Amino acid sequence: MQRHYGRPVTSQQAIEAATLACKPMGSLFDPRVLLAVADHAIVGSIVLNVTFPAFELSRALYIRDLYVAASMRRYGVGQALVRAAAQLTYAEGFSALDWTTETNNTAARQMYESCGARVLPRTYYRLAREDIDAVA
């Protein structure tokens, strides 16, 4: 996944992240991770973060990242992960499942909309370290 995004990490960093992602939940606010497996190999993952407060002071889930191995794209893996995330969302009592994607990522947008997702009229902002440094 990190290579796909042009941000490769060391094997040690990947092991540390996987260990963190797979540890037992200790809090209602811990992230959730779902994996897609085919032929005993992980072919996709979805990472869900808890957001609070959400609608009417509830907790919601936010898809932080969805990744499907290139060889498994267009086989329904992404849809299966989104649908499993939605089922988890409501089974655990969260009020909504939200996420963003790049506006020009038409393949992702088509897949999300094929799952029944609505496009919301929102503008998202980010203030990164380099942004703060630029105005300081």
Side-chain angles (χ1 to χ4, degrees):
M1 176 180 76
Q2 291 305 118
R3 280 190 295 275
H4 171 78
Y5 290 121
R7 309 280 299 186
V9 297
T10 66
S11 294
Q12 184 59 38
Q13 288 172 304
I15 290 168
E16 289 172 8
T19 301
L20 180 62
C22 295
K23 76 178 198 173
M25 228 175 53
S27 161
L28 293 174
F29 291 92
D30 282 350
R32 277 72 171 160
V33 178
L34 302 175
L35 302 175
V37 177
D39 295 326
H40 306 291
I42 297 172
V43 297
S45 62
I46 191 165
V47 178
L48 309 164
N49 287 343
V50 177
T51 61
F52 178 82
F55 180 72
E56 295 181 344
L57 301 179
S58 63
R59 292 175 306 129
L61 285 178
Y62 180 85
I63 298 175
R64 178 63 188 103
D65 197 66
L66 169 65
Y67 179 76
V68 176
S71 64
M72 294 301 292
R73 292 184 188 151
R74 304 213 184 277
Y75 289 100
V77 175
Q79 287 176 328
L81 284 166
V82 170
R83 289 183 176 134
Q87 289 174 348
L88 175 81
T89 297
Y90 304 114
E92 290 194 12
F94 292 96
S95 62
L97 177 62
D98 295 315
W99 65 92
T100 62
T101 194
E102 299 296 324
T103 303
N104 63 354
N105 190 342
T106 55
R109 293 181 65 192
Q110 288 172 348
M111 187 275 294
Y112 290 137
E113 290 171 30
S114 76
C115 293
R118 290 181 283 141
V119 177
L120 299 178
R122 293 187 180 175
T123 301
Y124 286 87
Y125 293 92
R126 173 174 293 145
L127 193 56
R129 180 174 295 142
E130 61 269 17
D131 302 320
I132 295 171
D133 294 341
V135 295

